[in-house]
Amino acid sequence: MVLDSGSRRGGESVKKLNAREVRLSLITGGVILLGLSYQILNSQLTRLKGLKRQELSARVERRQQQDLLAEKPDLIEQLSTIKGQLPRHPEGQDLKSELARQVQSLANKSGLRLTGLTPDAEVFLEELELYQAAVECSWSGSSKSLVAFLHQLNELGAVADIRDLRLRNRSGMANTLSGTFVLDFVYSRVPPAEIHTGIDSLPEPVDNPPAP
């Protein structure tokens, strides 16, 4: 007895797709193909954008490096000038008490009252071949004494700089201010044999009468 293909598959007959089902299958396949193409294209566009951003960033960095190289001689000259104005201290000598004394002297001349002095550890600025030390201060006084202190500090130039200046005025009166600030000192270290007059001190600021 001869069995047809449907019989050989356990009696299942092969169903032919009608025209409507064929169209639906083609549409479904087209949608899937379109979705895959969109994902591939979107991935390529994202990668292209990333490459363009990297290229732009590299161009900007190269331009900045070129500008810095062009300015390097001037910057080196400015740094040398500033270094010549900075105090020199003997290598290995603890400067905490000396810096605190100099801050106190500066405050006395301006009429500002220092209620606390806390020197921090010294930091070596390797790229500049300089040293930095900070003194944390708490203070009280009038607005005039604070302005006088800041003015005298500004007269010192690059020797010292103030940061984290905070003030409180709980009573609402201009002569009862208080707060904190940090003074950063920058200086060089040299062998003791090169120091002939002892530790360099801060340059003398312009004399101002103590503020009330």
Side-chain angles (χ1 to χ4, degrees):
M1 179 175 66
V2 179
L3 298 176
D4 58 16
S5 61
S7 299
R8 287 196 300 268
R9 296 186 180 186
E12 295 180 357
S13 60
V14 177
K15 181 180 179 180
K16 294 184 178 180
L17 299 176
N18 57 36
R20 179 175 178 275
E21 291 174 334
V22 170
R23 287 196 299 272
L24 290 175
S25 297
L26 291 175
I27 292 173
T28 302
V31 170
I32 293 175
L33 180 61
L34 182 62
L36 291 175
S37 300
Y38 173 78
Q39 291 180 356
I40 295 173
L41 180 60
N42 186 58
S43 176
Q44 291 177 342
L45 289 175
T46 301
R47 181 172 178 271
L48 182 60
K49 289 180 181 178
L51 292 175
K52 287 184 176 180
R53 283 196 297 267
Q54 291 177 4
E55 181 181 1
L56 179 60
S57 177
R59 287 181 180 178
V60 171
E61 185 176 355
R62 286 196 299 269
R63 182 57 183 270
Q64 290 176 341
Q65 290 177 350
Q66 291 173 356
D67 292 342
L68 287 175
L69 287 175
E71 296 176 358
K72 188 175 180 179
D74 293 336
L75 294 175
I76 292 177
E77 183 178 354
Q78 293 176 12
L79 179 59
S80 298
T81 301
I82 292 175
K83 281 186 174 181
Q85 299 172 353
L86 297 177
R88 300 180 308 152
H89 299 302
E91 294 175 346
Q93 186 161 358
D94 188 357
L95 299 176
K96 291 181 179 179
S97 60
E98 174 64 19
L99 294 179
R101 183 194 65 78
Q102 293 179 1
V103 175
Q104 186 64 64
S105 175
L106 198 65
N108 292 341
K109 292 180 179 180
S110 62
L112 194 69
R113 293 184 295 276
L114 296 181
T115 57
L117 287 170
T118 306
D120 289 341
E122 181 181 81
V123 177
F124 178 53
L125 308 176
E126 185 174 359
E127 294 183 357
L128 301 176
E129 296 182 351
L130 294 172
Y131 293 82
Q132 176 182 337
V135 180
E136 300 179 14
C137 306
S138 56
W139 59 273
S140 64
S142 66
S143 58
K144 290 183 179 180
S145 62
L146 177 60
V147 170
F149 178 83
L150 295 177
H151 174 71
Q152 293 196 52
L153 185 64
N154 184 67
E155 291 294 322
L156 300 179
V159 175
D161 193 16
I162 191 170
R163 61 181 169 90
D164 294 341
L165 173 61
R166 302 181 183 182
L167 57 88
R168 294 182 295 271
N169 186 5
R170 296 177 179 175
S171 66
M173 300 178 63
N175 61 344
T176 57
L177 299 177
S178 62
T180 59
F181 59 76
V182 178
L183 283 184
D184 288 319
F185 293 89
V186 180
Y187 48 89
S188 61
R189 290 278 195 178
V190 296
E194 296 184 17
I195 299 293
H196 302 290
T197 58
I199 296 180
D200 291 1
S201 59
L202 289 175
E204 288 296 326
V206 177
D207 290 336
N208 286 326

